[in-house]
């Protein structure tokens, strides 16, 4: 399938500017603890050949019974993620950082609130998170790389579930409601409620490589998830394909390869960006050489140079 778009080319390398979106929602139980209570993050190498793509040399980033999710490569050597912390009868989530070379993790936030969805900011001064405050409100905050709280980014919009940054330092937000909304917001105008782009959206919002647009899905009761491309300059949307039935999460490589799941197995599909056309091809299976990732994969993240992949794998 070919989709003709007005595509603006990036002026900075997509490899270092990919926008990934990951978040845990206390108000959306289907996406968090209730969905897959036992999960860990695994890191593998992406092996490309004429026979397809395989994930090899898989190692565990985490190994614990608590909730672990939302991996995001901040650079080629650092993976951030969300980790549940339990003490006595209480629990919360913090943002952790995994040093790939050292094979070690450290707690970044260590606050009294729960934080989810670590996402690097475009200006390089910190990262944004979903924070659950003392009134159980889900808000978007800026955190420094030292773990210190910097500012409340869009105080007029709540509850925020997922988010992605545009090249213009604006935000695409998953706002919880009946129905859920995709909202374009400007942190420079913190008192405004933003512009509604779509409703009934899915959990993943990403910048599409080789374009300046973002992609998102629309969910329906039959489990279908059509994929849409949004142009933040014209505020227009175009359908460019779909995820396999019942797939909720996906990720892009900087080559415009879409990685997602089909019946809990990893699959990929390259998109061809040719002038003003986006060409939708076909999915192929990705072999994952790990016994830990055979019972189900949900969230996915690729490193900026596409040679590493992080997988959230669920145990039975």
């Amino acid at each position: 399938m070919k989709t003709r778009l007005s595509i603006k080319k990036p002026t900075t390398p997509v490899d270092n500017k990919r926008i990934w979106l990951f978040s845990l929602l206390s108000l959306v139980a289907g996406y968090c603890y209730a969905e897959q209570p036992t999960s860990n993050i695994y890191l593998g190498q992406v092996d490309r050949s004429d026979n397809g793509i395989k994930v090899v040399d898989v190692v565990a980033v985490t190994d614990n019974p608590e909730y672990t999710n939302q991996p995001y490569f901040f650079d080629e050597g650092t993976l951030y993620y969300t980790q549940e912390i339990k003490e006595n009868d209480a629990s919360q989530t913090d943002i952790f950082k995994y040093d790939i070379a050292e094979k070690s993790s450290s707690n970044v936030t260590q606050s009294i609130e729960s934080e989810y969805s670590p996402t690097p900011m475009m200006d390089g001064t910190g990262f944004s998170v979903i924070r659950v405050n003392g009134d159980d409100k889900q808000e978007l905050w800026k955190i420094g790389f030292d773990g210190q709280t910097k500012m409340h980014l869009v105080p007029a919009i709540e509850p925020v579930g997922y988010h992605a940054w545009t090249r213009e330092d604006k935000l695409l937000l998953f706002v919880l409601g009946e129905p859920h909304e995709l909202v374009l917001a400007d942190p420079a105008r913190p008192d405004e409620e933003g512009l509604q782009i779509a409703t009934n959206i899915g959990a993943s919002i990403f910048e599409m490589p080789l374009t300046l647009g973002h992609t998102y899905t629309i969910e329906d009761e039959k489990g279908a998830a059509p994929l849409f491309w949004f142009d933040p300059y014209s505020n227009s949307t175009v359908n460019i394909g779909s995820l396999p039935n019942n797939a909720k999460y996906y990720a892009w490589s900087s080559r415009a390869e879409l990685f997602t799941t089909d019946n809990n197995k990893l699959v990929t599909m390259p998109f061809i960006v040719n002038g003003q056309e986006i060409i939708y091809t076909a999915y192929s299976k990705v072999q994952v050489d790990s016994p830990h990732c055979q019972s189900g994969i949900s969230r996915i993240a690729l490193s900026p140079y596409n040679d590493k992949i992080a997988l959230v794998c669920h145990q039975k």
Side-chain angles (χ1 to χ4, degrees), residues 18-22 72 117 119-120 122 128 130 140 160 162-167 169-174 182-185 204-207 214-215:
R18 290 178 300 110
I19 301 302
W20 280 65
L21 177 75
F22 304 95
Y72 196 128
S117 189
T119 304
M122 300 298 287
S128 49
I130 307 300
L140 190 66
V160 180
Y162 310 90
H163 69 289
W165 289 94
T166 76
R167 299 297 180 97
D169 286 322
K170 294 183 180 180
L171 285 157
L172 282 168
L173 305 173
F174 177 115
L182 178 65
V183 173
L184 180 65
S204 298
I205 309 168
F206 297 121
E207 182 181 278
H214 284 66
T215 55

Side-chain angles (χ1 to χ4, degrees), residues 47-248:
D47 181 15
R48 290 177 169 86
S49 71
D50 292 340
N51 296 322
I53 299 176
K54 296 195 299 183
V55 178
V56 300
D57 300 330
V58 179
V59 298
V61 173
T62 65
D63 183 13
N64 57 68
E66 285 75 35
Y67 181 89
T68 307
N69 216 317
Q70 304 167 332
Y72 196 128
F73 287 94
F74 276 33
D75 54 47
E76 196 66 23
T78 310
L79 183 74
Y80 278 61
Y81 62 93
T82 301
Q83 174 69 60
E84 181 186 10
I85 305 295
K86 287 186 176 180
E87 184 174 350
N88 299 323
D89 294 330
S91 70
Q92 68 173 72
T93 55
D94 283 351
I95 305 305
F96 277 66
K97 177 176 68 175
Y98 180 73
D99 186 304
I100 296 173
E102 297 295 329
K103 297 182 179 180
S104 62
S105 292
S106 57
N107 189 327
V108 178
T109 50
Q110 302 186 47
S111 69
I112 61 173
E113 297 90 1
S114 284
E115 290 92 14
Y116 316 108
S117 189
T119 304
M121 297 180 64
M122 300 298 287
D123 60 9
T125 62
F127 60 97
S128 49
V129 298
I130 307 300
R131 169 172 282 180
V132 182
N133 68 17
D135 296 325
D136 290 330
K137 292 183 177 181
Q138 295 183 190
E139 302 170 337
L140 190 66
W141 285 77
K142 176 180 179 180
I143 305 292
F145 289 114
D146 59 359
Q148 298 301 307
T149 300
K150 297 298 183 181
M151 64 182 297
H152 190 180
L153 291 166
V154 283
I157 304 176
E158 190 276 330
V160 180
Y162 310 90
H163 69 289
W165 289 94
T166 76
R167 299 297 180 97
E168 299 297 311
D169 286 322
K170 294 183 180 180
L171 285 157
L172 282 168
L173 305 173
F174 177 115
V175 179
L176 280 81
E178 294 291 341
H180 305 317
E181 299 177 339
L182 178 65
V183 173
L184 180 65
D186 187 352
R189 302 175 180 273
D191 297 328
E192 295 184 3
E193 296 184 354
L195 175 68
Q196 183 192 89
I197 303 301
T199 60
N200 292 318
I201 67 167
S204 298
I205 309 168
F206 297 121
E207 182 181 278
M208 183 177 182
L210 309 182
T211 80
L212 292 179
H214 284 66
T215 55
Y216 64 93
T217 59
I218 299 292
E219 296 187 342
D220 66 23
E221 295 179 354
K222 297 180 180 179
L227 184 69
F228 289 85
W229 183 87
F230 169 69
D231 181 357
Y233 297 91
S234 65
N235 293 337
S236 60
T237 62
V238 179
N239 177 231
I240 62 170
S242 64
L243 302 187
N245 279 358
N246 299 312
K248 292 182 179 295

